[in-house]
Amino acid sequence: MSSPSQALLNEVNAYSEKKTSVENTGRMLTELSRKEDCDVIHNLIMAVQDRYKKLHQRASERGRMLEEVKKNVKQFNESWRLLVDWMSEVEQTLDTHKEIAASHDEIKQQLTEQREFQKLLRLKRPMYEATMKSGRSLHERAQSSRDRQHLENLLAELKDTWDTIGGKSIERQHKLEEALLFSGRFTDALQALNDWLYRAEPQLAEDVPVGGDKDTINNLIDKHKAFQKELGKRAGCIRTLKRSVRDLTRSSTADAHWLQEQMEELGGRWEAVCTLSVSKQDRLEAALQQAEKFDAIVHSFMERLTEAERILKYGIIPEEEGGLRSFHKQHKVKAELENIQNLGEEILALCHPDSIITLKSWISVTKIRYEEVQTWARQQGQKIQANLAALEAEKEEVQRLLDWISSAGEALNLKNQEPLPETTEQNQELLQQHTVFMEELNKKFSDVEQATHSCKHKSSPKHQRRSTVKLPPIIPVPLEHLDPQTPQLSQLISQWQKLWRLAAARQNRLEQHQQMLREMEEFANFDFNIWRKRYIQWISHMKSRILDVFRTIDRDQDGRISLKEFTDYVLASKFPTNSLEMNAVANIFDLNSDGSEEAGLLLMSSWLRMTLVEVCMSR
């Protein structure tokens, strides 16, 4: 058994050089890498070292366990072989034992020898029970069905041989006592039965403890069954004695009265022993149920502790609050430990001496294992409490941000309901106030990012074919790539995006209003002749042909330029003007103020041609 374990340990040790090589390579990389990469390399090296240490430790523990099992197997095989060899010799002796003698003295001598043999059998019983217990323990720990079947066969052979020897010994004892009775020595027969009942009665007393562990009680039950068989065998002797005493009483011998008294005393003791035998059987069955219950809860408790220890050592601590609280509660098994201790103490109060050490050992082992797991639980509990405290702090921070966002949103809505000012100075003041608010909003954004750092990122959509149509640039919405896992974080992201859009819309509105106010101020001193000169000067700097410029403005190519065509072209060009000035220019040529008068079109077209001619001549 130890060779595979040693081979595994040697293989693990062989990887020590590779581990050292990985560590050296990692140290060399850290000297040539950036700081963030150094942290990653360091964490990987630490993970390798920790995994290797755990693997080496578990391989060593398995080697020690297999060595212990090998030792136990060797002891079991030696004990089993010694017992089977001894019982084979004894069984052969019993089979070839000399016949029952005829004379009274010879019968008494054979009875004395038989009692000595039974004493020797009783001395061998502890060895038999220890061997059976060791075999059952190995059977429970065996992993292959072949090993379990082999152990079952060995245990069955040992038990059958032992029961056979016990049965043959009882049978010979019964025959010797009957022979003593039929030899006519009623006094000796009575004395032999009384001696046996005297020895049996104390073992059946109500105050004799029968509690304990499952193996001990099963052994006690086996012994009691053997006693009950012996008791049944002696029932025939009792009946024979009663008939003989009645016959002697009828003949009125001198000893008839004394024999009658002795027989009554024997009958009373016999009834008492039979009653005690039934009572002990009931107590043994109750004790066995209690022992099986104790054994079941102990093994279940130990399995739960092992699983809890594995999770506490190597399990992943949840990140969400519900998972943390569930993880913290599921490893509390103190109530089960108290149940084991209470039941163990209850059994110890009426425990057989052979089970005291075993029961105390189980109680001690469960307590020690519980303390070991509790140590891990306390360590993880501190981490969990710290995580819960951090989550609570994050919740408070999120709520504080939500309150601020709500207050800021209400303030913006109130400001948006106010009419915009009519002067650029007043509007500029509003712009400055909004700039201060935007600066505060940007500062708060770092707090929002920190509060939402635990959110997962949304999976990026699949790439689609590029369209030939150019779309206008889209201003990115903040935190749009996050996928919140809690309602509170979802509310925070939603409210923040809403506030951001509201603030951006107000800033855009104020800027547009400021631009409109400036255009109105500039338009107050509008002079068409000055505008016309600026336009001629601007046109003169263009390098395109004059006819091309006219055709560019005349989109429908009808030889005439409409008011809309002219206005759209100028506004789309880089000429410094605005919509107010262009409306004023258009109104000059719009005789009926409807933008469709034929005369107005001809007039504007003529003016534009003259303007282009002037530009051409100036070149």
Side-chain angles (χ1 to χ4, degrees):
M1 286 188 181
S2 60
S3 56
S5 174
Q6 187 62 40
L8 175 62
L9 190 59
N10 293 337
E11 185 179 357
V12 172
N13 291 331
Y15 275 87
S16 177
E17 296 180 0
K18 295 183 180 180
K19 179 179 72 72
T20 304
S21 176
V22 170
E23 293 171 351
N24 294 334
T25 304
R27 294 189 186 96
M28 293 174 61
L29 286 174
T30 55
E31 295 176 358
L32 304 173
S33 303
R34 298 176 301 175
K35 184 179 183 302
E36 54 269 24
D37 294 333
C38 291
D39 294 337
V40 175
I41 295 171
H42 178 72
N43 292 335
L44 290 174
I45 292 176
M46 292 294 292
V48 169
Q49 291 174 341
D50 185 55
R51 292 291 297 275
Y52 180 81
K53 181 180 178 181
K54 290 177 181 177
L55 178 61
H56 190 277
Q57 182 179 358
R58 295 189 68 178
S60 300
E61 290 176 355
R62 180 170 176 80
R64 289 192 294 270
M65 182 185 70
L66 290 175
E67 285 295 334
E68 182 182 355
V69 172
K70 180 182 177 182
K71 181 181 177 181
N72 293 337
V73 169
K74 184 178 179 181
Q75 290 177 348
F76 170 74
N77 286 331
E78 290 177 354
S79 300
W80 185 88
R81 176 53 57 192
L82 287 173
L83 275 173
V84 169
D85 291 344
W86 178 80
M87 287 189 294
S88 298
E89 294 178 2
V90 168
E91 186 175 7
Q92 187 176 3
T93 303
L94 289 174
D95 291 340
T96 59
H97 211 286
K98 57 186 177 180
E99 295 294 331
I100 305 298
S103 66
H104 172 70
D105 293 335
E106 290 177 351
I107 293 174
K108 288 187 66 175
Q109 179 63 31
Q110 288 180 345
L111 193 57
T112 302
E113 293 174 356
Q114 178 62 25
R115 287 170 180 169
E116 290 296 327
F117 171 75
Q118 288 181 329
K119 183 178 180 181
L120 178 61
L121 195 62
R122 286 194 297 271
L123 292 175
K124 287 287 184 178
R125 187 168 188 91
M127 182 179 179
Y128 162 76
E129 292 175 353
T131 305
M132 290 291 292
K133 184 175 181 180
S134 175
R136 283 192 288 264
S137 176
L138 291 172
H139 181 269
E140 291 177 359
R141 299 167 65 180
Q143 296 183 354
S144 69
S145 57
R146 180 180 177 183
D147 291 340
R148 286 195 293 270
Q149 186 61 47
H150 178 63
L151 286 169
E152 287 177 5
N153 295 337
L154 292 178
L155 292 173
E157 182 180 351
L158 183 63
K159 187 176 186 302
D160 292 341
T161 307
W162 178 269
D163 292 342
T164 300
I165 291 176
K168 288 183 177 181
S169 176
I170 293 173
E171 182 68 25
R172 181 168 178 79
Q173 175 83 13
H174 172 64
K175 289 180 179 180
L176 288 170
E177 289 176 350
E178 280 188 338
L180 187 64
L181 179 62
F182 289 126
S183 66
R185 304 299 296 268
F186 295 105
T187 303
D188 293 335
L190 282 170
Q191 187 61 41
L193 281 172
N194 269 317
D195 291 343
W196 183 82
L197 291 173
Y198 270 118
R199 288 194 306 269
E201 191 172 4
Q203 302 299 322
L204 302 173
E206 296 288 343
D207 56 352
V208 173
V210 294
D213 63 287
K214 190 169 64 172
D215 290 338
T216 300
I217 295 177
N218 280 321
N219 290 332
L220 291 176
I221 290 175
D222 291 341
K223 289 170 68 175
H224 191 64
K225 287 180 179 178
F227 169 79
Q228 287 179 324
K229 287 181 180 179
E230 190 174 357
L231 189 66
K233 294 286 186 181
R234 295 180 186 273
C237 294
I238 295 293
R239 288 193 296 270
T240 302
L241 274 174
K242 286 183 177 180
R243 285 196 301 268
S244 300
V245 169
R246 282 199 301 269
D247 293 340
L248 290 172
T249 304
R250 292 192 189 99
S251 62
S252 300
T253 60
D255 296 331
H257 182 69
W258 179 83
L259 287 174
Q260 182 68 31
E261 291 178 352
Q262 293 296 315
M263 194 62 215
E264 290 176 358
E265 181 182 353
L266 179 65
R269 184 165 288 110
W270 174 264
E271 294 297 332
V273 167
C274 290
T275 302
L276 289 173
S277 175
V278 174
S279 175
K280 185 172 183 178
Q281 182 177 352
D282 295 338
R283 290 189 293 122
L284 283 170
E285 290 175 355
L288 181 61
Q289 292 181 356
Q290 193 178 43
E292 288 175 343
K293 178 181 177 182
F294 180 80
D295 183 78
I297 63 174
V298 164
H299 283 81
S300 174
F301 179 75
M302 297 295 283
E303 288 175 1
R304 283 200 60 189
L305 286 180
T306 301
E307 179 64 16
E309 185 178 40
R310 185 187 64 79
I311 295 175
L312 290 169
K313 281 185 178 181
Y314 310 111
I316 299 176
I317 299 179
E319 296 181 357
E320 69 279 3
E321 182 178 2
L324 282 171
R325 297 191 183 278
S326 176
F327 187 87
H328 188 52
K329 291 179 180 179
Q330 67 181 345
H331 304 300
K332 293 185 176 181
V333 290
K334 188 174 182 180
E336 293 184 32
L337 177 65
E338 293 176 353
N339 189 18
I340 289 173
Q341 290 179 332
N342 293 336
L343 184 57
E345 294 297 332
E346 182 181 343
I347 296 174
L348 282 172
L350 299 172
C351 182
H352 191 274
D354 293 346
S355 292
I356 293 177
I357 296 177
T358 302
L359 283 172
K360 287 185 176 180
S361 174
W362 275 118
I363 294 173
S364 176
V365 166
T366 52
K367 185 176 181 181
I368 292 172
R369 288 288 294 130
Y370 172 78
E371 292 297 333
E372 291 175 352
V373 175
Q374 278 299 105
T375 301
W376 282 99
R378 280 191 291 269
Q379 293 176 2
Q380 295 290 37
Q382 293 172 359
K383 294 180 182 179
I384 291 173
Q385 291 297 339
N387 291 347
L388 286 172
L391 285 176
E392 189 63 29
E394 288 180 3
K395 288 172 63 176
E396 293 177 359
E397 176 66 12
V398 170
Q399 187 59 47
R400 185 181 66 81
L401 290 171
L402 284 171
D403 294 341
W404 184 87
I405 292 171
S406 176
S407 176
E410 291 177 1
L412 278 179
N413 286 325
L414 290 175
K415 289 180 180 180
N416 286 333
Q417 293 175 5
E418 298 175 356
L420 294 176
E422 298 179 354
T423 64
T424 56
E425 291 78 7
Q426 293 173 336
N427 195 73
Q428 183 64 31
E429 183 178 354
L430 290 181
L431 273 171
Q432 291 176 352
Q433 293 176 1
H434 192 69
T435 300
V436 174
F437 172 77
M438 292 298 291
E439 291 176 353
E440 185 178 3
L441 192 67
N442 289 329
K443 291 179 181 178
K444 288 290 182 182
F445 183 65
S446 61
D447 296 338
V448 175
E449 281 188 318
Q450 180 63 28
T452 57
H453 74 281
S454 61
C455 294
K456 297 180 180 179
H457 289 259
K458 294 180 180 179
S459 57
S460 57
K462 295 182 179 179
H463 296 288
Q464 299 177 350
R465 294 183 61 185
R466 295 184 178 179
S467 174
T468 57
V469 180
K470 292 185 178 180
L471 299 176
I474 300 175
I475 300 176
V477 179
L479 309 178
E480 193 174 28
H481 61 286
L482 296 182
D483 184 14
Q485 304 298 312
T486 63
Q488 194 181 33
L489 289 177
S490 178
Q491 183 184 7
L492 174 63
I493 293 174
S494 174
Q495 293 298 321
W496 178 263
Q497 292 175 345
K498 181 179 178 181
L499 177 63
W500 181 86
R501 292 190 183 96
L502 190 64
R506 178 169 176 79
Q507 182 172 356
N508 187 44
R509 182 186 178 199
L510 290 174
E511 290 175 350
Q512 290 180 353
H513 187 64
Q514 185 74 357
Q515 179 67 23
M516 187 191 71
L517 290 175
R518 287 174 181 171
E519 291 177 355
M520 292 178 65
E521 288 178 355
E522 292 175 358
F523 180 71
N525 300 319
F526 177 73
D527 187 339
F528 177 73
N529 292 325
I530 296 175
W531 184 90
R532 177 177 174 277
K533 290 179 181 180
R534 284 194 299 113
Y535 188 72
I536 293 174
Q537 185 179 4
W538 182 76
I539 286 289
S540 66
H541 288 86
M542 296 178 63
K543 297 181 179 180
S544 302
R545 292 186 305 167
I546 301 303
L547 185 58
D548 293 338
V549 173
F550 186 85
R551 289 175 177 174
T552 302
I553 301 175
D554 186 15
R555 295 180 180 177
D556 53 8
Q557 303 298 316
D558 60 353
R560 296 178 297 178
I561 298 176
S562 67
L563 297 177
K564 186 176 186 312
E565 287 176 336
F566 177 68
T567 302
D568 291 344
Y569 172 77
V570 175
L571 289 176
S573 68
K574 295 182 179 180
F575 177 66
T577 186
N578 54 57
S579 58
L580 292 176
E581 291 181 348
M582 290 308 301
N583 288 333
V585 172
N587 290 333
I588 292 174
F589 300 105
D590 188 5
L591 299 180
N592 293 332
S593 300
D594 59 1
S596 62
E597 181 62 38
E598 184 71 17
L601 294 175
L602 294 174
L603 181 61
M604 188 185 70
S605 299
S606 300
W607 172 82
L608 184 57
R609 286 191 180 95
M610 291 173 59
T611 301
L612 294 175
V613 170
E614 289 181 15
V615 171
C616 184
M617 291 177 65
S618 65
R619 288 180 178 178

